[in-house]
Amino acid sequence: MPTRLFIDGQWTPAGAGTISTLDPATGEVLEEVGTASQADVNAAVAAARQALGSAQWAGLLPVQRAALLFRLAELVDQHHEELAALETRDQGQPIGISRQVSVTGAAEHLRYFAGWVTKLQGTTNPVSFPETLHYTRREPVGVNALITPWNFPLMILVWKLAPALATGNTVVIKPSEVTPLTSVRLVELTVEAGIPAGVVNLVTGDGSVGAMLSSHPGVDHVSYTGSTAVGKLITQASAQSNLKRLTLELGGKAPSIIAADADIDAAVTGNLLGATLNTGQVCAAYTRFYVDREREDEFVQKMAAGLQTLRVGPGIDESTQLGPLVSGRHRDRVASLVGVGRDEGAELVTGGSAIDRDGYFYAPTLFAGVRDDMTIMREEIFGPVLAVTSYDDPDEVVARANDTEYGLAATVWTRDIRTAQRYADGIRAGAVFVNMPPIPDMAAPWGGYKASGWGREMGPWALDAYTETKSVWLHYGY
Ligand code: NAD
């Protein structure tokens, strides 16, 4: 139903026309997708508000709410191959990533939060007031706008939807206009799972629809993943409307420190994956490489060789390791930043140009001899572009790695546990990975320091984002 919106349990015609979504491997139009009007957004928010206190939703027992989420996970499993192929067609990611990361990850995440429904506890607290019972309870925050990006459309939607529903909230989903198809399909599956009308609503369209939600007085919380620039606009919209709560998962520019004692072959394998997974369109992708000067030549040479052997092609082809970038616009942005890298004097070791074929392919690119003040070392590129520099002083490198507006992820490659721990202590980022690629996991918190965002997703931390804590004072000594 991609041309329609889903509001209050009905597939409704979109009030502001349609927009095309393309296959990034060919540039061909895949589907037309509806664009919501302000009236559509108002209707979706009103439906979510209405459902919030309804007997069909608020009246469910925890075991019943959990059962709906378990059922949705089962449906995702049943439609595994269909969802994976749809994600690959719309987003471009290699089919193996769609299967193992996006779809399997979505089902596991739904099950994990289904398990939380029956474990949402409050506390009793020793307040200093006589003959008083004090306890806390967790209540849903209310109507949540879930605004998602185009890099892992299905998985990132589920990172938000699963904890939101587990804690009894209602939602209005706004997927990226570039990759809306798996979000539409997931909403169809929520209907099949038996989630009541009004609990899950979907408004598709471009950023203007996201802006309508973030300035809407009827929305209590925006959970947003996307660029830092738009995160700032959402913050302003919140401040100027009802000061709605915000969870922001924003950009990154993760440093990778390769210490003198690192196993270089293992570092090359792990960093290749960390830098090029999903064609580098990963917020935690490793992009800035600080290599001990003694190991620099070996690392650069082996990384470049590794990048050159990656099999580039359409994601739907089973042998593909590196798919296209998501859109022509994004490919042009990556190309322009590579141009800036050259102009500023970085040494191009491999790649450096778009690949001459249909679709939005870009050659994996490595720059060496990069200075800390160069644009490619500072700006998020969100493509397969690596910038390598070296260091002499292990005590200085943490300060250089921290010299960024971002703080989402970082990695250290060493065989010495003291080095690992010293860097893990010193780095200002939401996640530090030692000798491994940047992997999110539903049991570990995910989120950023500094301009990489506010709040945490996953694990019990996600429950905080979607609940209010009520403090109840019960004086029985009157
Ligand atoms: P984007 O900011 O362009 O768009 C994200 C979403 O915001 C889309 O749905 C878009 O339509 C919507 N939007 C655009 N303008 C808006 C506005 N004014 N108000 C409200 N919503 C608006 O981001 P993108 O290009 O789709 O995604 C790439 C970015 O996402 C990168 O910066 C990346 O680092 C970040 N990202 C972060 C994480 C994380 O966990 N921190 C994960 C994935 C992606």
Side-chain angles (χ1 to χ4, degrees):
M1 293 282 188
T3 58
R4 295 187 173 233
L5 314 175
F6 190 65
I7 299 174
D8 204 12
Q10 302 294 324
W11 290 96
T12 314
T18 60
I19 188 170
S20 306
T21 184
L22 310 182
D23 179 344
T26 61
E28 285 163 11
V29 174
L30 277 176
E31 293 276 3
E32 293 299 317
V33 181
T35 296
S37 64
Q38 181 70 59
D40 295 330
V41 169
N42 293 347
V45 172
R49 175 69 54 199
Q50 176 75 24
L52 192 61
S54 68
Q56 292 83 350
W57 182 238
L60 291 180
L61 298 173
V63 282
Q64 294 170 319
R65 203 161 76 235
L68 292 175
L69 283 175
F70 281 121
R71 175 81 187 119
L72 184 57
E74 263 168 45
L75 288 167
V76 169
D77 283 343
Q78 279 168 24
H79 295 272
H80 191 278
E81 195 53 33
E82 175 207 338
L83 285 164
L86 194 59
E87 194 73 312
T88 288
R89 287 272 181 225
D90 205 13
Q91 204 282 331
Q93 61 191 233
I95 187 75
I97 303 289
S98 290
R99 289 184 188 125
Q100 288 147 34
V101 180
S102 298
V103 184
T104 301
E108 285 173 350
H109 218 83
L110 284 162
R111 277 194 194 92
Y112 175 85
F113 281 100
W116 267 112
V117 179
T118 50
K119 298 163 194 75
L120 286 171
Q121 296 173 334
T123 55
T124 56
N125 305 298
V127 291
S128 296
F129 198 80
E131 298 182 275
T132 299
L133 167 66
H134 181 273
Y135 67 95
T136 60
R137 43 177 289 157
R138 303 185 92 146
E139 297 183 352
V141 78
V143 174
N144 298 257
L146 313 182
I147 305 179
T148 55
W150 48 251
N151 62 338
F152 283 99
L154 178 70
M155 188 177 76
I156 291 179
L157 171 56
V158 171
W159 289 0
K160 301 179 187 309
L161 184 68
L165 298 184
T167 46
N169 290 272
T170 59
V171 306
V172 180
I173 297 166
K174 209 306 275 175
S176 168
E177 61 276 26
V178 185
T179 55
L181 296 181
T182 49
S183 302
V184 176
R185 189 69 188 110
L186 186 72
V187 169
E188 291 173 352
L189 296 179
T190 66
V191 180
E192 215 177 315
I195 293 173
V199 173
V200 174
N201 303 274
L202 169 80
V203 288
T204 46
D206 65 11
S208 64
V209 179
M212 289 173 203
L213 285 166
S214 43
S215 59
H216 203 292
V219 172
D220 300 298
H221 172 213
V222 173
S223 178
Y224 167 78
T225 299
S227 62
T228 295
V230 169
K232 288 181 181 173
L233 294 176
I234 290 175
T235 307
Q236 285 165 5
S238 165
Q240 282 159 14
S241 55
N242 57 345
L243 212 61
K244 54 180 65 67
R245 182 190 291 198
L246 302 179
T247 303
L248 303 173
E249 301 288 355
L250 308 176
K253 188 79 185 167
S256 176
I257 300 175
I258 290 95
D261 71 336
D263 174 340
I264 290 290
D265 290 334
V268 165
T269 306
N271 279 293
L272 274 174
L273 184 62
T276 63
L277 181 79
N278 205 21
T279 319
Q281 301 166 118
V282 174
C283 49
Y286 301 159
T287 56
R288 299 184 282 140
F289 296 87
Y290 298 86
V291 190
D292 185 283
R293 191 177 298 280
E294 299 294 310
R295 313 301 299 275
E296 186 186 11
D297 288 347
E298 183 188 359
F299 181 78
V300 166
Q301 182 220 322
K302 288 184 171 171
M303 282 294 278
L307 290 170
Q308 284 157 4
T309 58
L310 288 176
R311 284 188 303 277
V312 181
I316 209 73
D317 183 339
E318 297 278 345
S319 65
T320 290
Q321 293 172 304
L322 198 81
L325 291 165
V326 77
S327 65
R329 195 167 143 225
H330 186 51
R331 183 202 48 201
D332 295 347
R333 181 173 181 274
V334 170
S336 133
L337 281 161
V338 168
V340 173
R342 272 208 192 95
D343 294 346
E344 289 181 355
E347 178 204 337
L348 182 66
V349 180
T350 187
S353 58
I355 296 174
D356 187 18
R357 58 184 289 172
D358 287 346
Y360 312 123
F361 293 91
Y362 199 88
T365 298
L366 186 142
F367 283 106
V370 183
R371 287 194 321 269
D372 292 3
D373 64 347
M374 286 182 181
T375 307
I376 54 170
M377 206 59 154
R378 310 203 71 81
E379 266 198 40
E380 186 182 44
I381 301 175
F382 226 56
V385 181
L386 292 67
V388 184
T389 184
S390 60
Y391 68 88
D392 295 303
D393 178 358
D395 291 332
E396 221 179 75
V397 72
V398 171
R400 289 175 64 195
N402 282 337
D403 179 21
T404 167
E405 65 172 308
Y406 296 114
L408 187 63
T411 183
V412 181
W413 298 79
T414 177
R415 288 190 253 218
D416 182 343
I417 194 154
R418 289 164 302 186
T419 306
Q421 191 53 51
R422 210 169 64 231
Y423 289 165
D425 279 350
I427 285 171
R428 305 238 326 128
V432 180
F433 297 91
V434 178
N435 297 326
M436 62 181 288
I439 295 170
D441 187 288
M442 61 218 164
W446 187 261
Y449 285 29
K450 303 195 276 183
S452 288
W454 290 350
R456 294 292 179 270
E457 297 194 290
M458 321 231 176
W461 301 274
L463 304 173
D464 294 339
Y466 293 92
T467 51
E468 294 282 9
T469 301
K470 182 173 276 175
S471 169
V472 182
W473 299 71
L474 221 157
H475 181 50
Y476 49 82
Y478 56 90

